[in-house]
């Protein structure tokens, strides 16, 4: 794509990263979203600054729930202990360097596992829908969710607010940033016109897109300019801590082995060390099988 369409430094870093593949930029980041911490304002009067504090508060106020078997929700635990899914350097993912079985990952799994083993907040069958329902009905004090949850909670009359995620291991908690990206077909005869349209969209339509669908702009200046509520302010802060999930096609081989072994760990059938070993082995085997026909 033409370099003059936009400058990387003018946009959320995670959104820009999502527009690159093999070191080359292919699209325009339009809007961004991520998870953050929802809390019941009737139960919680002072927000915990760290995960350790959150667990102690949650123990007294009904707990915290989220789909803890999903890599989507667990990325921040891995990153807090300096682990990763695939090593990312110089605009590329090294899918042969899998971080899910390393010593740092074991520390992350050990922390997550205490939510099941020590606090009984999490079970292997809790899904995002289950967690949201329990929060909506006042059963739990905390829930990890996204902007897509707000309308439903408001309609249900749930007393809630949204905050950035608490720190873990002295670090800001990383959440996956989803980015709506604008592309132009390489076969299009009107590429220049479409890129100009995207430029116009970014410069003139941020408030309209936010007002119409709650889409948070990826452009940093537009984030400052839009008229936004406190929940959006919290999501914008959390987005600044986030990163995209790997855009490599091999990411498709991560979801099932990760979820299956986390559920076994929550059920007490494997240890965090065993879960780490099995996840990395199964992901590597899946990638080998995927690429064997290439």
């Amino acid at each position: 794509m033409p370099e003059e369409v936009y400058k990387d430094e003018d946009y959320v870093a995670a959104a820009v990263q999502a527009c690159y593949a093999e070191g080359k930029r292919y699209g325009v980041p339009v809007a961004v979203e991520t998870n953050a911490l929802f809390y019941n304002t009737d139960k919680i009067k002072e927000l915990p600054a760290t995960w350790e504090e959150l667990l102690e508060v949650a123990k007294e106020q009904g707990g915290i729930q989220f789909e803890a078997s999903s890599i989507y929700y667990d990325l921040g635990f891995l990153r807090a202990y300096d682990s990763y899914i695939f090593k990312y350097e110089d605009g590329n993912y090294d899918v042969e360097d899998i971080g899910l079985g390393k010593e740092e990952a074991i520390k992350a799994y050990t922390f997550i596992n205490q939510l099941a083993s020590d606090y009984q907040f999490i079970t292997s069958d809790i899904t995002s829908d289950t967690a949201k329902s329990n929060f909506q009905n006042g059963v739990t004090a905390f829930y990890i969710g996204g902007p897509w949850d707000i309308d439903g909670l408001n309609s249900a009359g749930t007393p809630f607010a949204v905050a950035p995620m608490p720190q873990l291991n002295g670090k800001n908690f990383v959440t996956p940033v989803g980015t709506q990206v604008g592309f132009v077909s390489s076969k299009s005869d009107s590429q220049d016109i479409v890129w100009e349209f995207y430029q116009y969209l970014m410069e003139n339509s941020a408030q309209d897109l936010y007002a119409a669908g709650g889409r948070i702009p990826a452009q940093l200046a537009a984030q400052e300019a839009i008229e936004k509520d406190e929940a959006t302010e919290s999501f914008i802060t959390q987005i600044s801590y986030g990163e995209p999930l790997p855009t490599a096609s091999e990411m498709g081989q991560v979801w099932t082995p990760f979820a299956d072994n986390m559920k076994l760990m929550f059920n007490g059938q494997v240890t965090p060390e065993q879960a780490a070993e099995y996840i990395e082995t199964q992901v590597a085997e899946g990638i080998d099988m995927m690429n064997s026909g290439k």
Side-chain angles (χ1 to χ4, degrees), residues 226-237:
I226 60 172
E227 298 177 11
K228 48 194 176 289
D229 57 22
E230 291 183 4
T232 299
E233 292 275 13
S234 293
F235 282 118
I236 288 174
T237 298

Side-chain angles (χ1 to χ4, degrees), residues 7 21 27 67-68 82 84 91 120 129 146 173 206 227 251 262 291:
K7 296 179 180 179
E67 193 169 341
D82 298 318
Y84 48 86
Q120 287 82 52
D129 288 341
F173 195 83
E227 298 177 11
M251 181 64 196
M262 294 300 283
N291 293 330

Side-chain angles (χ1 to χ4, degrees), residues 12-35:
V12 171
V16 172
Q17 184 178 331
C19 293
Y20 278 80
E22 298 181 350
K24 188 175 181 180
R25 193 172 71 173
Y26 285 93
V28 177
V30 178
V32 285
E33 61 188 18
T34 197
N35 294 319

